[in-house]
Amino acid sequence: MEGVPPAPRPVHRRIPAGGGRRARARTGRGPGWGGGAGGAARTGSSCSATTALLTAHVLLGLTVLVPAVFRLAWRRATGLPPWAPCLSPRERRPAHWTEACLYVLLFAMPLTGLWLPVVGDDDAPAPHVAAHLAFSVALAVHLGLVRKHTVVRRDGLLRRML
């Protein structure tokens, strides 16, 4: 066909680690687009390493999600045991809320992680990171309370939990 110019060939530019202002000016996208450290996945230099890391991360998320589903189903089917007699009503409230937070976050972490590829936005990791941080805080509180009952009070609550 005469008069129609050929389609331009794509230009593959290596973006420096960390991306930066120049990277966004050239591509219109920041360092989070396309595979981590400055877009190395676009050039193919570390595509297999990035893919392997992403695959391991997804498998880890599924390793958390699948047992959480079974644990919640088990809890719904069998119900809760009565409260330990060593727990006062003042201690039962934080124990209940910590456990509820852990259950919610056991689902929120992997589901927000699986949501990331669907959205494909640079701002999308925020809920996933927030879920990780909240889970870490809830787990630290939970472990702190268990340690208190195991080391300080020595009331056998840990044996009851296991």
Side-chain angles (χ1 to χ4, degrees):
M1 293 175 40
E2 286 188 20
V4 178
R9 294 181 55 200
V11 176
H12 296 284
R13 295 182 181 136
R14 181 169 176 95
I15 304 214
R21 190 173 30 206
R22 287 185 180 160
R24 283 188 289 281
R26 281 195 307 261
T27 64
R29 298 192 169 134
W33 177 74
R42 285 177 286 197
T43 62
S45 62
S46 66
C47 186
S48 62
T50 303
T51 303
L53 185 61
L54 181 61
T55 302
H57 193 87
V58 169
L59 289 175
L60 182 63
L62 291 174
T63 303
V64 170
L65 184 61
V66 171
V69 169
F70 284 116
R71 175 66 180 111
L72 188 61
W74 175 265
R75 180 177 167 181
R76 293 280 182 183
T78 60
L80 286 173
W83 285 102
C86 62
L87 290 177
S88 69
R90 184 174 165 242
E91 292 174 316
R92 291 177 186 174
R93 178 170 283 151
H96 168 75
W97 282 107
T98 303
E99 183 182 358
C101 285
L102 286 172
Y103 272 111
V104 167
L105 294 167
L106 275 175
F107 287 94
M109 273 193 315
L111 291 177
T112 56
L114 292 173
W115 176 62
L116 291 176
V118 174
V119 177
D121 185 16
D122 281 346
D123 296 331
H128 188 58
V129 172
H132 273 279
L133 292 174
F135 180 78
S136 298
V137 169
L139 185 63
V141 169
H142 185 71
L143 293 175
L145 292 172
V146 169
R147 184 177 173 113
K148 173 189 165 194
H149 283 277
T150 303
V151 176
V152 177
R153 292 178 97 186
R154 298 177 189 255
D155 54 13
L157 190 64
L158 181 61
R159 276 192 305 268
R160 186 176 186 279
M161 287 171 52
L162 297 176

